[in-house]
Amino acid sequence: MVRDIAGEFQGHIAVVTGGASGIGEGCARRLAEGGAKVIVADINMKKAKEVAAAINGHAMEIDVSDDKAVEQFADACESDIGPVSSVVTSAGVLQPPLPPDELSLETWDRVMNIDFRGTYLTCRAFGPRMAKRGRGSIVTIASVTASLSVPLHSYAPAKSAVVSLTRTLAAEWGRSGVRINAISPGATWTAALEEAVAKGERNVKGLEEVSCMGRLLTTAEIGNAAAFLCSDQSSGITGIDLVVDAGWIAGGAWHAYSGIRPTRRNSDT
Ligand SMILES: NC(=O)c1ccc[n+]([C@@H]2O[C@H](COP(=O)([O-])OP(=O)(O)OC[C@H]3O[C@@H](n4cnc5c(N)ncnc54)[C@H](O)[C@@H]3O)[C@@H](O)[C@H]2O)c1
């Protein structure tokens, strides 16, 4: 049965940080399809305006690593547009897979500041407002690397911290009707991944190979998971890390044996 999603978020105001590209754009588009008025919040205003125009939303500028700017942004959202009921924190950057003696502290700090501190600042700005109103859902975008060992000594710990923060804040605001959950995507085809591949920092074949399903994720698949966690369909769920990874965690160790089995579908032979 196909579920009718139009109207699912009618009357809702949603903020998506990093909404101008990739996973954030996928989430913004999906929430808008469900009827939400979406605030596309990004440091890249040109792209934010393009996405906002396509989904009849609002584009607003934000640097999630700037505490004062994030507070002002939350004030502006609520005074200019209205009470925000859903937030997706997708603003983030990747990092090169370098050993610690080659990874500059500047890069290490930048990744921590945007990916972890930026997530905290966004939650800190919107969570208390939602708690006072007695309702709201926040979805943080972590990563499957939070649960794996990969050569990303700032990014992966930052994402583990996002998962931990999601749990601490779930208890902080749970009794006030605010739910907060993480999504941990596996490798998802976005501008950031494309750029890392172009620089030789990621290998598409390798990323596909480690997953049970033998493929990357689409931004729409992450958007669907975010919509589920923002909607009343997940009313009993808070503090979880929803892994959407095409089976990377489940399949990764198979390469120490004979590799993941090829398809048995008649149509693929
Ligand atoms: N692509 C993947 O394979 C993958 C996998 C797991 C998790 N993630 C996470 O998903 C999120 C989105 O990544 P993506 O692949 O869609 O990247 P992307 O580059 O396509 O999108 C990221 C967006 O964040 C914005 N941004 C960057 N720094 C910002 C800042 N300081 N303030 C506000 N906006 C800022 C960028 O302008 C961009 O529009 C990130 O947190 C990333 O870590 C991505």
Side-chain angles (χ1 to χ4, degrees), residues 144 185-189 193 203-222 224 244-249 251 255 260-261 263 265 268:
V144 76
T188 308
W189 192 244
L193 182 58
N203 173 312
V204 173
K205 191 93 194 95
L207 292 170
E208 288 172 345
E209 234 357 88
V210 288
S211 76
C212 295
M213 295 166 82
R215 67 171 175 85
L216 304 182
L217 281 303
T218 66
T219 58
E221 287 174 313
I222 312 302
N224 281 334
V244 184
D245 70 343
W248 183 347
I249 289 178
H255 294 279
I260 295 174
R261 315 252 187 252
T263 177
R265 262 193 308 239
D268 290 340

Side-chain angles (χ1 to χ4, degrees), residues 17-25 41-45 47-48 61-66 89-94 110 113-115 119 141-145 155 159 183-195 207 216 219 222 248:
T17 71
S21 176
I23 287 173
E25 180 178 350
D42 207 287
I43 204 162
N44 184 334
M45 268 308 270
K47 281 169 87 182
E61 192 166 1
I62 187 178
D63 175 353
V64 295
S65 63
D66 178 338
T89 67
S90 190
V93 289
L94 306 184
R110 177 167 183 266
N113 275 335
I114 298 173
D115 291 9
T119 301
I141 302 295
S143 164
V144 76
T145 62
Y155 182 83
K159 294 300 187 177
I183 293 176
S184 276
T188 308
W189 192 244
T190 65
L193 182 58
E194 193 174 356
E195 193 186 323
L207 292 170
L216 304 182
T219 58
I222 312 302
W248 183 347

Side-chain angles (χ1 to χ4, degrees), residues 171-193:
E172 188 67 47
W173 296 318
R175 306 273 168 104
S176 308
V178 180
R179 298 184 298 108
I180 170 161
N181 294 291
I183 293 176
S184 276
T188 308
W189 192 244
T190 65
L193 182 58

